[in-house]
Amino acid sequence: MLRFDIITIFPEFFREIFDYGIIRRARAAGLVEIEAHDLRGWTADKHHVVDDRPFGGGDGMVLKPEPIFAAVEQFAGAARREDYGAQTRVILLSPQGRVLTQSLAGDLSKNAKHIVLICGRYEGVDERVAEALVTDEVSIGDYILSGGEPAAIVLLDAVVRLLPGALGSETSAVNESFSEGLLDCPQYTRPPDFHGMRVPDVLLSGNHGEIARWRREAALDKTRRKRPDLLK
Ligand code: ADE
């Protein structure tokens, strides 16, 4: 069982997201447990303030450290990353993190039992969060979102579908794009001839050796055309 605790100022944003498809199935099967928590729940003041102006001046607001430290301490059992259990990861979603890859998703699905996701907001998060609490700072790509929430959903989806038993058959994550550093080969279903666009004959041949060879070549060819950077 893998548990996700998501720390956010918009817990409602996640309400229905986890009720569809593979994530819903994985939850129903007891493979994963997911909860989104309102950061304001760890504020002590009357107005539940979670942000403040940056020291030194400048535009925008910065998420304060105290509520985030208190929330992480509750979920991870400690307020310093050295003191977490070995299978606990505290992840800050931010455009400054390392870019999420299939390999990081695989690492998390294999090695983590508890993942705490901190959704950044506004102009930033007090640096002491990254210094003391965060085990992994992760970006989902080189562009700026208005907050970490969509990134948290992307990361969670990529990890949950790799949990053993989450997909229909155990092998379906093995032969897909990126699993060998290549894009997946083209896939076809019926009809074999659609408005004159024909499925490659080899796929209808029943010759499994030939089909495997064709798929390998087609995957290489597609990767060369669409994502040559993956071949380097
Ligand atoms: N927050 C803002 N932009 C982000 C990105 N690209 N990835 C993760 N979190 C973010």
Side-chain angles (χ1 to χ4, degrees):
M1 162 75 78
L2 171 57
R3 180 171 172 93
F4 280 90
D5 284 296
I6 305 171
I7 301 171
T8 170
I9 60 167
F10 296 134
E12 295 294 327
F13 184 88
F14 296 90
R15 270 304 103 88
E16 310 225 337
I17 293 268
F18 305 129
D19 292 339
Y20 297 93
I22 285 172
I23 298 185
R24 175 186 134 108
R25 254 221 323 252
R27 291 173 62 218
L31 303 175
V32 66
E33 210 171 53
I34 308 165
E35 213 172 321
H37 309 272
D38 191 341
L39 179 60
R40 292 190 176 84
W42 287 274
T43 52
D45 61 302
K46 185 165 95 202
H47 297 292
H48 303 293
V49 174
V50 292
D51 57 358
D52 206 341
R53 286 176 316 212
F55 274 124
D59 292 331
M61 300 290 270
V62 175
L63 286 182
K64 293 158 59 66
E66 305 95 316
I68 299 178
F69 270 72
V72 169
E73 180 162 24
Q74 177 177 330
F75 295 126
R80 289 288 181 279
R81 69 173 151 257
E82 308 81 67
D83 302 327
Y84 303 154
Q87 294 177 309
T88 296
R89 305 281 277 267
V90 174
I91 299 176
L92 174 64
L93 284 317
S94 112
Q96 300 175 12
R98 69 168 153 147
V99 175
L100 178 63
T101 59
Q102 190 65 11
S103 140
L104 175 57
D107 165 32
L108 292 169
S109 75
K110 250 203 284 327
N111 300 318
K113 282 276 157 273
H114 190 184
I115 297 177
V116 179
L117 298 177
I118 304 171
C119 301
R121 267 281 135 188
Y122 308 130
E123 265 52 46
V125 178
D126 188 286
E127 189 67 19
R128 288 162 288 192
V129 169
E131 268 172 31
L133 293 180
V134 169
T135 61
D136 307 78
E137 188 168 358
V138 176
S139 163
I140 61 164
D142 290 337
Y143 40 80
I144 306 295
L145 303 168
S146 49
E149 284 79 6
I153 293 169
V154 168
L155 183 146
L156 187 137
D157 188 284
V159 171
V160 168
R161 61 190 295 288
L162 293 178
L163 294 171
L167 299 180
S169 88
E170 294 275 340
T171 56
S172 30
V174 174
N175 294 309
E176 66 186 7
S177 285
F178 303 114
S179 58
E180 289 180 278
L182 295 180
L183 300 181
D184 197 6
C185 65
Q187 302 285 354
Y188 299 89
T189 184
R190 289 184 293 183
D193 186 327
F194 177 67
H195 296 327
M197 295 179 279
R198 292 186 46 77
V199 174
D201 284 334
V202 59
L203 295 178
L204 312 174
S205 70
N207 183 331
H208 296 296
E210 283 293 319
I211 291 172
R213 226 178 341 267
W214 180 87
R215 285 186 161 155
R216 177 90 194 151
E217 270 313 306
L220 266 168
D221 184 54
K222 196 201 255 186
T223 308
R224 231 176 263 128
R225 278 185 295 112
K226 293 185 160 181
R227 291 292 308 274
D229 56 299
L230 293 177
L231 294 171
K232 290 190 185 111

